[in-house]
Amino acid sequence: MSKVINFKNVELKNISDFLFSLKLLGRASRGRNKLLVEMEEKAEAFYNDLQELKEECYQKNDGTGKTELKAGLTKQEVDEKLKELGQDMAGVNVEEFSDKIKALYQALDKYEEPFKGLDAVCYDRLMDLLEEIEL
């Protein structure tokens, strides 16, 4: 089985923020930090792609100074492109540090503090993704 965790672009920031907030020790903490570094690279690529898409779709109105859609594009078309970009997958290869990712998974599985709201959603999604790579 592949050791690539496939995040949706749109979820990278929330899961990164969630991971960053956890109180972890030893190998689990190291696994989290290594994963965060890889996720940050993917998030940066996503934000660059997002910026390029905005430049393709919007222009500044010389008269008003406001940003507006370029001619020939509709808001619905642009929204669809943005949604598609957000749903694209960002694969993070954890093969080189899979032992630390396994320690992270085990620590999360036994984490004793309760999660609520967005943290609970991020926890569930991350656990599903970690289980998919069969640690």
Side-chain angles (χ1 to χ4, degrees):
M1 183 51 105
S2 174
K3 298 287 186 202
V4 175
I5 302 173
N6 289 304
F7 297 97
K8 292 178 185 174
N9 279 331
V10 74
E11 64 191 8
L12 284 166
K13 181 176 180 347
N14 289 336
I15 293 177
S16 292
D17 290 347
F18 165 72
L19 279 168
F20 189 75
S21 72
L22 297 174
K23 298 173 186 170
L24 299 170
L25 297 170
R27 292 176 79 73
S29 179
R30 294 192 65 218
R32 179 238 337 253
N33 294 340
K34 292 194 177 296
L35 182 56
L36 282 171
V37 167
E38 298 295 321
M39 290 175 72
E40 178 63 32
E41 287 179 20
K42 298 300 179 179
E44 189 174 318
F46 168 56
Y47 291 122
N48 288 339
D49 291 346
L50 196 58
Q51 188 61 38
E52 285 178 24
L53 182 60
K54 286 179 180 180
E55 289 173 8
E56 289 174 18
C57 298
Y58 293 96
Q59 64 188 11
K60 197 166 238 175
N61 181 312
D62 292 334
T64 64
K66 293 183 180 180
T67 301
E68 59 187 30
L69 286 173
K70 288 186 176 179
L73 293 174
T74 66
K75 180 165 175 24
Q76 184 177 3
E77 290 172 328
V78 173
D79 288 346
E80 188 61 35
K81 288 179 181 185
L82 289 169
K83 181 180 177 183
E84 186 178 306
L85 181 60
Q87 295 299 310
D88 282 350
M89 300 306 246
V92 175
N93 189 338
V94 297
E95 185 74 40
E96 290 183 25
F97 50 94
S98 62
D99 58 326
K100 293 171 188 71
I101 293 297
K102 184 174 184 174
L104 172 62
Y105 172 79
Q106 291 168 342
L108 288 172
D109 194 40
K110 294 178 173 129
Y111 205 78
E112 299 210 3
E113 293 186 32
F115 300 118
K116 63 181 180 177
L118 186 56
D119 282 350
V121 172
C122 289
Y123 169 79
D124 186 54
R125 177 69 175 142
L126 182 58
M127 291 300 282
D128 285 346
L129 291 170
L130 292 173
E131 289 165 357
E132 283 178 13
I133 62 171
E134 295 182 5
L135 298 167

